[in-house]
Amino acid sequence: MSGPAAGGGDRSRGGRLRAYPALPVWVVEDHQDVLPFIYRAIGSKHLPASNVSFVHLDSHPDLLIPVNMPADTVFDKEALFSELSIENWIMPAVYAGHISQVVWLHPPWAQQISEGKHHFLIGKDLSTTTIRVTGTDHYFLSDGLYVPADQLENQKPLNLHVILINPTEASNSQEENGEVASAKRLKLNTDDTASTASPSSSVVPGDLDHSTPSLKKKEVQNASAPNKAETLSKCSAATSLRNSECPIREVVKDVCQVLQKGDAYVLDIDLDFFSVKNPFKEMYTQTEYKLLQELYNFKKPHRNATEESLLDCVENRVHQLEDLEAAFADLCDNDDEDTLQKWASYPGMKSLVQLVHSLKTRMESPDYEMVHQAGLTCDYMELPHHVSTEEEIEGLIQSIKVLLKDMPKPTLVTVARSSLDDYCPSEQVDIIQEKVLNLLGSVYGTLDVHLDYSSTSSSL
């Protein structure tokens, strides 16, 4: 392999980067377990220590932050790894200075962060010494993660790009005919001469009717509305937009513009991108789930909220979540009627009585810690839940194939199965994994595959 496309970038701040003989693909079960392999690549100088781009295919953003973790934990990697969970493992690597650009490529049923470009700071909160952000999306506000810039030290900028990927119909897939295969991949700009213009995200007015009926359609603040007409004009009127390749071509341009700003990139794939479940929906009845939504409901700020309003919003949210955590911790010790009524008297906690009574009729000893974890996912939007058909899975595979063929080659690929916690359906995960590995092999050639959830590894 030679050239910047082979290694995903040909220099680091301290000199030339090393190249792997074959593209490494690390497959893990829990998503946070990919981070040690990324750090290993930085240590071996296959990845630079800073200005890494991260292309993240997932039904979940995974961009939360360990709420109470001291910011300086990121500088002790073993301590850091022990603190991370599936929803919060990327941002500590941003704060540590390694990752500067994140591209979240999401399927139609995942709408947790508004579409488009998000530029904000991440740093150490002067008052709490924890990691916080200046990002004002509901995703960050509902977890109490926002602070104003003047309250942060050791600030790092993050460019986050949220881009929709729609499935491609097999009949529209021209790449099988060799038309895509001959396209040259755009190379990473390693001389820092790339245009500084921010890429626009391709937001396609796709058909979302096949997403789970109860999934709330979040208001999407489309940063690229002027480009919609242009995209539409390029696509055949006879072809369904949702199923055409034209939008994928637009996504390729957007992603490559982002990658030009970095010195190398990691391709990260959660298999639940292709098919996803909300495991909590199977643990609790519809009534219980609705009561959780009432208890944990996030009161959104006004669209043009002032800094003061945002701070009030976050303060109220933090108190709400602290009270709920304390209530369920108390119930773990003693869930008698006196304890229950005590907590139910708190503002907004009335639903607790009905919830606990319902749980106790179904189980002898409810796992209140798990109930709280489920509640934390019931803020402004439900977790995505969409078990895909074979056709939908194949359509997304084809879309990603078109995308990857025109992108530069990554330095390494990380893959998470997410099946033991039931986010990726256990009956589909092995089929999806096989399709993804075959896809990677068809695009990149020989792979060095490490199945880290088992004891075997292989070259494909």
Side-chain angles (χ1 to χ4, degrees), residues 244-301:
S244 73
E245 285 188 1
C246 186
I248 294 297
R249 296 283 181 239
E250 297 300 311
V251 170
V252 170
K253 288 182 197 173
D254 294 342
V255 175
C256 286
Q257 276 187 293
V258 177
L259 295 183
Q260 284 181 326
K261 296 179 179 180
D263 295 328
Y265 89 96
V266 175
L267 175 63
D268 175 70
I269 304 171
D270 195 315
L271 300 185
D272 75 16
F273 171 87
F274 301 92
S275 184
V276 67
K277 292 168 80 171
N278 175 353
F280 297 115
K281 280 203 154 185
E282 296 185 353
M283 292 183 191
Y284 306 107
T285 66
Q286 284 188 340
T287 300
E288 289 164 355
Y289 201 78
K290 187 178 178 185
L291 292 167
L292 280 172
Q293 289 174 320
E294 290 176 12
L295 284 166
Y296 286 82
N297 179 54
F298 169 60
K299 189 176 180 182
K300 301 174 187 175

Side-chain angles (χ1 to χ4, degrees), residues 200-257:
S200 61
S201 60
S202 298
V203 184
V204 182
D207 171 16
L208 295 183
D209 289 345
H210 57 289
S211 62
T212 184
S214 57
L215 182 68
K216 298 172 190 170
K217 304 297 189 299
K218 191 172 180 182
E219 285 192 2
V220 175
Q221 297 169 1
N222 178 4
S224 63
N227 294 333
K228 272 191 182 177
E230 183 185 340
T231 303
L232 286 163
S233 67
K234 291 178 183 175
C235 299
S236 164
T239 308
S240 163
L241 242 188
R242 183 171 70 87
N243 297 319
S244 73
E245 285 188 1
C246 186
I248 294 297
R249 296 283 181 239
E250 297 300 311
V251 170
V252 170
K253 288 182 197 173
D254 294 342
V255 175
C256 286
Q257 276 187 293

Side-chain angles (χ1 to χ4, degrees), residues 69-73 75 95 121-133 147-156:
M69 184 185 79
D72 290 351
T73 306
F75 305 117
Y95 175 69
L121 300 173
I122 182 170
K124 182 199 284 190
D125 184 342
L126 289 166
S127 62
T128 65
T129 73
T130 55
I131 301 173
R132 291 295 184 264
V133 298
V147 298
D150 61 11
Q151 203 174 315
L152 289 178
E153 64 177 352
N154 194 24
Q155 298 174 355
K156 303 289 194 317

Side-chain angles (χ1 to χ4, degrees), residues 190-448:
T190 56
D191 297 321
D192 289 337
T193 56
S195 165
T196 55
S198 296
S200 61
S201 60
S202 298
V203 184
V204 182
D207 171 16
L208 295 183
D209 289 345
H210 57 289
S211 62
T212 184
S214 57
L215 182 68
K216 298 172 190 170
K217 304 297 189 299
K218 191 172 180 182
E219 285 192 2
V220 175
Q221 297 169 1
N222 178 4
S224 63
N227 294 333
K228 272 191 182 177
E230 183 185 340
T231 303
L232 286 163
S233 67
K234 291 178 183 175
C235 299
S236 164
T239 308
S240 163
L241 242 188
R242 183 171 70 87
N243 297 319
S244 73
E245 285 188 1
C246 186
I248 294 297
R249 296 283 181 239
E250 297 300 311
V251 170
V252 170
K253 288 182 197 173
D254 294 342
V255 175
C256 286
Q257 276 187 293
V258 177
L259 295 183
Q260 284 181 326
K261 296 179 179 180
D263 295 328
Y265 89 96
V266 175
L267 175 63
D268 175 70
I269 304 171
D270 195 315
L271 300 185
D272 75 16
F273 171 87
F274 301 92
S275 184
V276 67
K277 292 168 80 171
N278 175 353
F280 297 115
K281 280 203 154 185
E282 296 185 353
M283 292 183 191
Y284 306 107
T285 66
Q286 284 188 340
T287 300
E288 289 164 355
Y289 201 78
K290 187 178 178 185
L291 292 167
L292 280 172
Q293 289 174 320
E294 290 176 12
L295 284 166
Y296 286 82
N297 179 54
F298 169 60
K299 189 176 180 182
K300 301 174 187 175
H302 295 298
R303 185 181 290 275
N304 298 313
T306 63
E307 181 181 298
E308 185 180 0
S309 296
L310 291 172
L311 286 170
D312 285 344
C313 167
V314 167
E315 185 180 3
N316 291 335
R317 180 61 172 172
V318 168
H319 286 153
Q320 177 191 8
L321 295 180
E322 285 176 347
D323 286 346
L324 285 161
E325 182 177 15
F328 283 109
D330 213 0
L331 290 167
C332 283
D333 294 333
N334 186 352
D335 63 355
D336 64 14
E337 199 64 23
D338 288 344
T339 307
L340 186 55
Q341 292 297 338
K342 177 188 79 173
W343 284 107
S345 67
Y346 277 59
M349 302 267 271
K350 188 178 177 183
S351 304
L352 195 61
V353 175
Q354 189 182 346
L355 174 63
V356 170
H357 285 168
S358 177
L359 291 169
K360 290 176 78 171
T361 60
R362 294 197 304 111
M363 51 193 85
E364 186 179 340
S365 174
D367 183 345
Y368 292 114
E369 188 177 345
M370 182 63 74
V371 175
H372 177 57
Q373 292 303 316
L376 290 173
T377 70
C378 301
D379 37 35
Y380 62 97
M381 178 178 289
E382 289 184 21
L383 287 176
H385 184 90
H386 179 89
V387 179
S388 300
T389 64
E390 286 183 35
E391 185 180 24
E392 285 173 320
I393 293 169
E394 188 57 38
L396 285 169
I397 288 283
Q398 291 306 321
S399 291
I400 300 307
K401 191 170 189 177
V402 172
L403 181 68
L404 296 184
K405 276 182 174 290
D406 281 358
M407 282 169 54
K409 191 173 187 177
T411 299
L412 73 157
V413 180
T414 51
V415 178
R417 286 166 58 86
S418 299
S419 63
L420 294 184
D421 51 13
D422 222 20
Y423 282 100
C424 186
S426 57
E427 67 276 12
Q428 292 181 319
V429 65
D430 290 330
I431 297 165
I432 294 172
Q433 180 173 313
E434 183 180 5
K435 285 178 178 289
V436 167
L437 292 177
N438 287 339
L439 159 64
L440 294 172
S442 72
V443 174
Y444 300 127
T446 303
L447 307 174
D448 182 18

